[in-house]
Each structure stands twice: as structure tokens, then as C-alpha cells.
Amino acid sequence: MFRVIILLLCVVFFSTDRSLSQRHQMGVSLGLSNYIGDVGSTYFVYPNAFSMGLSYKYVMLEYTYARADLYFANISGYDADSKEPYRKDRKRSFTSSLFEFSFGLEHNFFKYDLNEPLQHTPYIFLSLGVIAFDKPTFVARHRFKRDSKNSIQNPADREDFNSSYLHESDFDYTFVIPFGLGYKMIIKRKWHVSLELGFRYVFSDDLDASSSRIKRSDIESGLGQTPFLDVINERNKDYLGNFGNTRQNDMYVFSSITLSYSFGRYVCPCWD
């Protein structure tokens, strides 16, 4: 899949008449994001978190641009938002954040002359990118129970001790395939506004903590032996409770509005 996309991008880019590629656009995007996976709503478009980004576009052909995008987004999922009964009963949730950089192609359906006002067209895009995301991990703490004077109480049985779990975050990296559609128009010479709906297929199933792990266990002296250690391992496994479809990777969506400015040497509109 990677080879096909990279080959397509390279063929289009290097086969372009570079004499026509003298027009540039820079843009700022604001919008909302949503996650699609094993936690929360099952709707494909369910904006519930903030996102923002920067974009650069380069005119290659009359209808085709190269584009590079840099995004920051928060993503979250709450089983309470789902219409699936089993998710509501499960009551899982997560929040995370990510940075994305991608490079790809954008194709206009209609002629879009950057030097004429009130031009407008729908478009589609396909890119290849990488994300750095907040991957949830946990620190497990296992302690003897204590009385009001903070003195250790002798366990009544092998399960008579306290366990708690602290959330920590590690950044991880993976590839994404952004694709989607939008509609753009020139509101004034050199100024453009566009509405875009972009889907991201992620080469990972870890955005939602469905396969999270114990980063380390902080075990009080005396508990790190049988029979307590067996209980500790059971509690750690039950707490993580890895869930979901491990054969289906996560996705997320950006719903955004972008304001762009054109600059560079004038491109003759007589492409034909």
C-alpha cells in the first residue's frame, strides 16, 4: 500500500511541467476532530474536540496541486456517546492528542484560476503522513492497607491489600493515510476560504488505549512474592482489560475551515 501511494505521488510530481508551478498558497485551519475506533460513538463524523493546522499548496497543473499539511488535534472517545448497548454498559473513555505531518495531492473538479475573484470548486485529496500521538500507559502501585496511625495492617488473606493505577503518557509514532473532500472559493484576489472533511486511516490500534500496558509496577516490599504476586498479576490484567477488534485499526477525522493566501510569480491562466 505504501509503495503504491509513494509511486503515484512521485510519478505525478516529477512528470509535471515545472514552468507552470510558480504559484503558492499558505493557509491556517481551524476545526473539530473526532476519533473512530473501539471506544465511543460509532458515527464516522462526530466532531467533539479541537484541531488546528497549517497548510502549503503548490500549483502543479491546472487542476492539480501538491499539498503539505501540519496538524495538531485533540481526540477523545466516550462510550456514553455510543448507541451500542454494550459500549454504554462498558463505560470506557479516553482523551489524547496528536501531531500530524503529511504530503500529497489535491485535485479540483472545476477550473480554479487563482487570479480571478469568486472562483469556486469542489476537490478531493490523497496524502501520506506520519503522526506522533499520546499513547496511554499506566503505573501500578500495590500497597499494604494501613490503619489510622499509618501502620501496616497484617493481610487477612492474599487479596487483602490496595492497588491503584496512575496514568502516564508516552509518545509513539505511526503512518497515516489522509484522504477526503472539500469545497473552496476565492473571496478576494489572493485570498481563499475552504471547507474540508478529511479522514485519516491510522496504521495502529493504539490511539484509544485498547491495547495499553503497565509501564512499571511499584510494589511495596513484602508483596512481591507468592501468593500476593499472583493477585497483583491478575489485577493488572483485569485493569488493562485490552479490548476491541485488534484486526481493525483506528481512524480519525478533521472537519475544518481554512483561510489561505496566494503568492509567487503570476501564472498565466491560459493553461489550454
Side-chain angles (χ1 to χ4, degrees), residues 25 59 61-65 106-114 116 118-124 182-186 192 269 271-272:
Q25 291 182 41
V59 179
L61 295 169
E62 182 178 7
Y63 292 91
T64 306
Y65 296 179
E106 178 181 305
H107 182 76
N108 300 330
F109 283 94
F110 305 131
K111 190 172 182 178
Y112 192 72
D113 186 352
L114 299 179
E116 295 293 332
L118 302 180
Q119 298 275 317
H120 55 92
T121 180
Y123 64 90
I124 57 175
Y183 199 93
K184 59 185 176 181
M185 68 178 298
I186 300 175
H192 318 254
W271 298 83
D272 298 330

Side-chain angles (χ1 to χ4, degrees), residues 16 26 82 146 196 262 270:
T16 301
M26 290 292 297
S82 176
R146 284 169 165 75
E196 185 172 289
S262 296
C270 306

